[in-house]
Amino acid sequence: RWARADEFSDFESLCSGLDFSKTLPSDFEAMTEYLAQQYADEIFVFDDVHLIPQRHLSRFHSFCKRIEELKGPKLIFIGREPLVSFEHLQRLPIPPLEISDAVKLLGEFQSEKEREHIAERLGGHPLAIQLYEKESVLPEANTDVQTYVQDVVLSTLDESTRAGLDHLVLLPRPIEASKAYDDEVVGTLDESAFLRWTSGMGKMELQHLIRNVRRLTMSKQEKLKLHREAVVHWESCATTLDDQIILLFHRISAESDDLDAHCDSAFEALASTHSNVLSVLLEQAIDASNNPSHLHYLAAKIAIHRCEPFHAHAHLESIKDEGLFNEIAMSLAYIEGRIDDAKSAVKNGLEIGTQQQKNKLAISAASRLLDDRRGPHLEKDTIREIKFFLSHVVLPEDSVQRTTTVVALTMVQHALALAQANYVKAETLQATLVSIGGVDDALVLGLEAKSALIKAKQTGKNFSEAVKITRRAIEQQTSTIHRDSLRLALVESLLGGDNEQAKAEFLFVSQPDESEKSILHHRLHARWWMCKSDLEPSLRQIALKEAITKYRAAGCPRAANILEARLHSML
């Protein structure tokens, strides 16, 4: 299995590039154990490892060290020296080609003696030989290949081609040829062997030797000018998320105004699917900014999304806004299982925020408490705490916001009624939602299904009818996450009673997509891995570790602690 790194790669994105057919855990220990167990007889090749950014390097090294300790798959790293932090590994240098082999790259247009002379002067370097043209002046003996590229190869380009090449020099990753700053030079550069292409010829970049040589010789002012021109270009053609990454990279490098606003927009677009890229770019933005407080908040927030408390702590003290500081402190407390600190942060947020922020925080905190359990019932203190949070909700004047708040509030109250086995109140709340104009019928059907399953499970009556209601509700859902949540509720109800049917239903639940990292997804994925631990005994411990991580990421430390105790009892 072969994966190539770029300037944004983390160990998760590299592993996803290895083309595994099954869903991988995201928890560090769970993933390494899973790969060591399932793929022990394979070889993983990680190419261009020198490009892995500092932001992600330590975790990648820890992953590789752990794989080695577990006697998992063999690992091969390919990269350009100096390979910092790889010093302890056995080296296998790739030397220049033997002259007898190097001459074969030159074709048969020159005599054998001429070809040997060219190959010797270019030191047997395969790319330098491919770049050689008849009219090229050969370097003096022992001349550095990089000097040859700069003084001979690049000097043959006309001014417009050179300008087009310079815009490719600064790109952090391959792009579509049609979106190059000057797409007319792509053909010329390709004919001269200056480009390398991704599989399927979908994207291209400069050969790294050429790119690195040119980067070294550019002045800071030259780079700044190119980045600023690139911003204008990419603003006009950025249509995909990959394009937006390139645009943000150029904006940061161009020291653009309104960097906070640009990073805010990028966060909304990229956080759930490209967190590895965004975390690197935010570090660069912080270095480029004179007032990086808000950028530290975004960097801490993406670290929370990625379940990396170490990085979140590194940014916390640089956040000047009291409300934003409190938000990150609260999330860190939840992830690290510091329940009392989390409670204090929530109460602090309910005092300092705007009413809209208070509503969102109160409903979120109440919902989190309902999910933060591993059983059907709630303790009296927890019920009291949920009601305390909900008492801070004030319905907005704006009709749209008011409807949204009422729906969110009613759903939490409905879940609370079910946890208290108050089915009459649950039905009343369902009826309340029906009476609100514009509320999706599928939402009401979902609540009805949850009520039926919980009631049937607790009373031991009408279970088959509850299953029918749930399946009807699943069919009506337009949202994948709501459909999966309902089907998981069905699987959870079947576990312990009809495991074969539970297995059959579980196959229809979407496998966790690690590109999605919202709180809602974390909770859903925690439940998925919990079901996985019950249905696949051979993966029980790995699945439990992943469920624990997901519950912590979702701010459910009690549920995580319960599962941790269960895991320890197995060891």
Side-chain angles (χ1 to χ4, degrees):
R1 297 178 187 274
W2 191 295
R4 173 171 280 150
D6 64 23
E7 294 177 34
F8 303 122
S9 295
D10 59 0
F11 93 91
E12 292 96 341
S13 63
L14 286 168
C15 285
S16 69
L18 294 172
D19 293 328
F20 299 107
S21 58
K22 294 186 178 178
T23 297
L24 295 179
S26 62
D27 172 74
F28 177 85
E29 192 64 30
M31 181 190 274
T32 49
E33 284 184 23
Y34 179 80
L35 293 175
Q37 177 183 315
Q38 300 291 318
Y39 303 96
D41 60 344
E42 295 194 3
I43 298 171
F44 294 175
V45 181
F46 296 106
D47 200 351
D48 283 341
V49 291
H50 60 280
L51 293 176
I52 298 173
Q54 198 65 39
R55 171 66 172 74
H56 300 313
L57 192 56
S58 61
R59 205 168 182 205
F60 177 73
H61 283 309
S62 298
F63 162 72
C64 297
K65 184 181 178 184
R66 186 69 181 128
I67 285 285
E68 190 178 5
E69 289 170 353
L70 294 168
K71 300 189 179 351
K74 297 292 181 286
L75 306 178
I76 294 176
F77 308 103
I78 302 174
R80 184 167 58 88
E81 295 285 13
L83 283 176
V84 181
S85 304
F86 289 88
E87 292 87 351
H88 64 291
L89 298 177
Q90 178 187 344
R91 288 291 208 278
L92 180 66
I94 300 177
L97 292 172
E98 296 291 338
I99 299 304
S100 59
D101 293 318
V103 295
K104 296 174 185 176
L105 293 175
L106 290 164
E108 308 238 336
F109 296 106
Q110 296 109 333
S111 68
E112 187 173 344
K113 189 173 181 180
E114 283 179 305
R115 280 182 279 148
E116 285 181 2
H117 177 66
I118 294 165
E120 284 171 357
R121 281 296 177 91
L122 295 176
H125 191 294
L127 182 56
I129 292 169
Q130 283 186 288
L131 293 172
Y132 172 78
E133 294 182 358
K134 264 195 312 185
E135 58 274 15
S136 295
V137 178
L138 285 170
E140 295 300 315
N142 301 319
T143 295
D144 182 82
V145 169
Q146 293 189 1
T147 304
Y148 168 68
V149 170
Q150 174 63 22
D151 295 345
V152 178
V153 175
L154 294 180
S155 67
T156 64
L157 300 177
D158 61 56
E159 191 175 330
S160 64
T161 306
R162 180 71 172 255
L165 177 140
D166 279 351
H167 275 283
L168 297 179
V169 164
L170 298 180
L171 289 170
R173 57 176 13 180
I175 62 166
E176 296 170 44
S178 62
K179 291 187 176 176
Y181 183 84
D182 181 358
D183 57 358
E184 292 184 6
V185 306
V186 171
T188 305
L189 295 175
D190 196 29
E191 287 170 9
S192 302
F194 280 36
L195 302 181
R196 61 190 259 185
W197 295 81
T198 58
S199 59
M201 303 293 282
K203 295 185 177 182
M204 59 87 203
E205 62 181 339
L206 277 178
Q207 293 282 7
H208 286 190
L209 172 65
I210 296 167
R211 186 193 69 184
N212 296 338
V213 167
R214 186 66 188 115
R215 278 185 185 179
L216 284 171
T217 57
M218 276 185 182
S219 69
K220 183 179 178 182
Q221 286 307 310
E222 281 181 299
K223 290 178 181 176
L224 199 58
K225 178 176 178 290
L226 288 167
H227 282 303
R228 287 173 178 170
E229 289 172 352
V231 168
V232 176
H233 168 70
W234 284 96
E235 282 177 340
S236 69
C237 68
T239 56
T240 67
L241 291 181
D242 285 344
D243 296 344
Q244 289 185 44
I245 288 168
I246 301 294
L247 174 56
L248 181 61
F249 165 76
H250 282 303
R251 277 176 167 157
I252 292 167
S253 303
E255 301 174 3
S256 299
D257 295 331
D258 297 325
L259 212 48
D260 285 8
H262 293 315
C263 288
D264 268 332
S265 299
F267 192 98
E268 291 300 315
L270 302 173
S272 63
T273 54
H274 294 77
S275 67
N276 60 320
V277 176
L278 192 57
S279 55
V280 173
L281 289 174
L282 285 169
E283 298 280 349
Q284 294 174 5
I286 287 167
D287 290 340
S289 174
N290 295 322
N291 183 23
S293 171
H294 187 70
L295 297 174
H296 279 291
Y297 162 70
L298 293 177
K301 195 173 178 181
I302 202 69
I304 296 291
H305 272 288
R306 293 171 55 81
C307 303
E308 296 173 328
F310 169 80
H311 288 288
H313 276 293
H315 295 286
L316 182 62
E317 295 305 322
S318 299
I319 301 170
K320 305 303 181 190
D321 182 277
E322 184 183 9
L324 299 181
F325 179 96
N326 189 70
E327 179 191 329
I328 299 300
M330 179 182 68
S331 298
L332 274 170
Y334 277 126
I335 282 184
E336 295 172 341
R338 294 182 281 111
I339 297 173
D340 288 341
D341 289 344
K343 283 182 183 178
S344 297
V346 172
K347 288 175 182 174
N348 190 35
L350 291 174
E351 291 174 4
I352 63 177
T354 64
Q355 188 55 54
Q356 188 176 357
Q357 289 169 334
K358 289 177 183 178
N359 285 351
K360 186 177 178 182
L361 178 59
I363 291 171
S364 174
S367 178
R368 184 182 276 117
L369 279 174
L370 282 161
D371 287 336
D372 195 10
R373 58 194 165 117
R374 287 306 309 156
H377 302 296
L378 287 171
E379 296 174 356
K380 287 182 179 178
D381 287 347
T382 305
I383 293 170
R384 195 159 38 246
E385 204 172 349
I386 290 170
K387 290 180 176 178
F388 166 78
F389 289 142
L390 296 184
S391 69
H392 286 77
V393 176
V394 176
L395 296 181
E397 294 294 329
D398 178 81
S399 60
V400 175
Q401 287 185 15
R402 188 181 184 88
T403 299
T404 303
T405 306
V406 168
V407 170
L409 182 61
T410 305
M411 289 180 72
V412 173
Q413 291 171 328
H414 184 271
L416 179 60
L418 292 181
Q420 295 177 286
N422 190 341
Y423 304 113
V424 173
K425 184 172 182 181
E427 286 180 17
T428 302
L429 290 164
Q430 287 164 215
T432 300
L433 280 182
V434 172
S435 68
I436 299 174
V439 174
D440 189 355
D441 290 342
L443 185 68
V444 180
L445 285 172
L447 296 185
E448 183 185 346
K450 288 177 183 177
S451 297
L453 283 174
I454 291 172
K455 188 174 182 180
K457 193 78 173 175
Q458 289 187 352
T459 62
K461 298 175 183 177
N462 301 321
F463 189 73
S464 59
E465 181 60 26
V467 170
K468 287 178 185 176
I469 292 170
T470 305
R471 285 184 174 144
R472 277 200 303 272
I474 289 169
E475 289 172 6
Q476 295 299 313
Q477 301 304 310
T478 54
S479 158
T480 302
I481 194 167
H482 290 156
R483 188 162 51 246
D484 285 338
S485 180
L486 268 181
R487 202 179 291 278
L488 275 176
L490 179 55
V491 173
E492 289 159 349
S493 296
L494 290 165
L495 281 170
D498 189 345
N499 276 15
E500 287 306 308
Q501 187 58 42
K503 264 186 189 176
E505 293 289 346
F506 188 63
L507 292 175
F508 290 99
V509 184
S510 304
Q511 295 185 20
D513 179 358
E514 285 314 309
S515 67
E516 299 289 353
K517 292 181 181 288
S518 70
I519 294 294
L520 200 57
H521 281 95
H522 285 317
R523 293 181 195 175
L524 188 71
H525 294 168
R527 292 169 60 200
W528 190 92
W529 284 102
M530 271 302 306
C531 292
K532 182 95 167 168
S533 74
D534 288 319
L535 294 171
E536 293 192 38
S538 64
L539 295 175
R540 181 159 291 156
Q541 291 182 20
I542 289 171
L544 276 176
K545 285 179 181 178
E546 180 69 359
I548 290 165
T549 295
K550 290 301 175 191
Y551 271 124
R552 290 208 186 286
C556 298
R558 293 181 185 86
N561 291 343
I562 291 167
L563 295 187
E564 211 158 47
R566 186 188 302 182
L567 179 63
H568 288 160
S569 70
M570 296 177 185
L571 302 176

